[in-house]
Amino acid sequence: MTGPGSEAQDGEVEARGRVVLVTGGSRGIGLACARWFLAQGDRVAVTSRSGAAESDVDAGIGQFWSLTCDVTDPEQVDAAFSAIEEAWGPVEVLVANAGVTRDTLVLRMSEEAWSEVIDTNLTAVFRVAKRALTKMIRLHRGRVIMMSSVGAFVGSAGQANYAASKAGLVGMARSMAREVASRSITVNVVAPGLVETNMLAALGEERTTQFRAQVPLGRVARPEEVAEAVGFLASAGAGYITGVVLPVDGGLAMGL
Ligand code: NDP
């Protein structure tokens, strides 16, 4: 197992045993990502407001660490990073996945509903990425993967706040990617389409059916299919990929 103090050269990413942090890892896509990294032999911490993952122990592949951390609270974010660094060393792979929706049409959208979504989905990603990059820069390696959405590109009625937050991630990721590239750190974005999680369930059956009809592959994704894309961007094989947006959407937004 490698990690803090490993012998990796600048830009090299160890294939196994890395310190991985997945925000919003208690369920859904984040939990699938946590399981993916755990199965690789990485040391995986997940954060959420509840602090309790659906399952902390996965049969056969070990255990990950669940921390309580509301990403909208700078002190909680710093405390979570500090705890991980003390126990395992610096975070080498950050999956900034925590996200929320507060859907309603623009004319009914309160400033508070706007701010809550922007704070969680955009500002908090800036916060956790900045905190992770501080240490990655010293390590001369690291991977940051931000969870956007197909909604960033196609828009979605009732989701002006959500789509704005997810589109904002793209410009932020590309700016960060340019800033840290000289340290062999990559910053990329994954843009899922419809994924079978609580968040999709909240969309309601009627809207889900409407959206599904527009997906060339004709079905929603399993969270594990998004985790595979995240895992790839964090892998040694993706060392020359930075500033990209990788859609995992069954073809929903192809060409955009
Ligand atoms: P879920 O609602 O199933 O999971 C969201 C996760 O984020 C939970 O672990 C939740 O835990 C955590 N979370 C929410 N708010 C905070 C917060 N303030 N601080 C810390 N953790 C928080 O959603 P999904 O798994 O579906 O979504 C994961 C990501 O993927 C999101 O960014 C979402 O926008 C994106 N996405 C999802 C799609 C889908 O179809 N499902 C499509 C495109 C993108 P807790 O509530 O305990 O805090």
Side-chain angles (χ1 to χ4, degrees):
M1 186 173 288
T2 57
S6 84
E7 296 303 313
Q9 301 298 305
D10 286 2
E12 270 183 23
V13 174
E14 294 286 334
R16 303 171 72 83
R18 295 170 298 176
V19 178
V20 179
L21 171 59
V22 183
T23 69
S26 62
R27 60 175 187 265
I29 294 169
L31 180 61
C33 292
R35 287 177 171 153
W36 191 94
F37 285 106
L38 205 58
Q40 306 302 307
D42 292 320
R43 287 168 290 173
V44 184
V46 303
T47 61
S48 63
R49 289 167 299 185
S50 54
E54 273 174 0
S55 161
D56 283 0
V57 182
D58 276 0
I61 56 171
Q63 193 165 0
F64 51 78
W65 183 8
S66 293
L67 294 115
T68 303
C69 168
D70 183 335
V71 290
T72 64
D73 181 335
E75 284 180 13
Q76 290 186 40
V77 167
D78 191 51
F81 270 88
S82 297
I84 294 164
E85 287 159 3
E86 200 171 309
W88 292 342
V91 170
E92 296 164 282
V93 178
L94 170 69
V95 183
N97 164 80
V100 292
T101 51
R102 270 193 67 180
D103 296 355
T104 191
L105 297 173
V106 166
L107 296 188
R108 292 188 198 138
M109 189 175 285
S110 64
E111 294 260 345
E112 194 248 329
W114 170 268
S115 299
E116 182 191 336
V117 171
I118 298 292
D119 286 352
T120 306
N121 297 6
L122 182 60
T123 309
V125 174
F126 157 75
R127 181 175 299 121
V128 292
K130 180 181 172 185
R131 183 63 177 76
L133 287 171
T134 309
K135 302 283 175 167
M136 288 177 183
I137 281 169
R138 287 184 214 149
L139 284 178
H140 282 237
R141 66 173 186 276
R143 299 292 167 90
V144 176
I145 296 130
M146 300 178 183
M147 199 60 70
S148 179
S149 164
V150 71
F153 312 105
V154 298
S156 175
Q159 293 194 314
N161 49 2
Y162 183 78
S165 70
K166 295 301 187 181
L169 291 179
V170 177
M172 182 168 71
R174 289 181 167 154
S175 303
M176 286 183 182
R178 289 183 187 278
E179 289 186 22
V180 299
S182 64
R183 307 300 173 101
S184 303
I185 300 163
T186 67
V187 184
N188 290 297
V189 173
V190 170
L194 301 175
V195 189
E196 203 156 20
T197 68
N198 286 11
M199 188 177 275
L200 187 65
L203 206 57
E205 190 49 43
E206 195 183 325
R207 287 192 73 199
T208 304
T209 305
Q210 284 170 2
F211 280 130
R212 194 192 295 119
Q214 297 164 32
V215 179
L217 284 178
R219 63 176 179 86
V220 302
R222 289 176 291 108
E224 292 74 20
E225 292 177 298
V226 181
E228 289 284 348
V230 170
F232 167 67
L233 289 171
S235 72
Y240 201 58
I241 298 174
T242 196
V244 306
V245 178
L246 177 54
V248 185
D249 63 359
L252 184 57
M254 72 169 87
L256 292 177

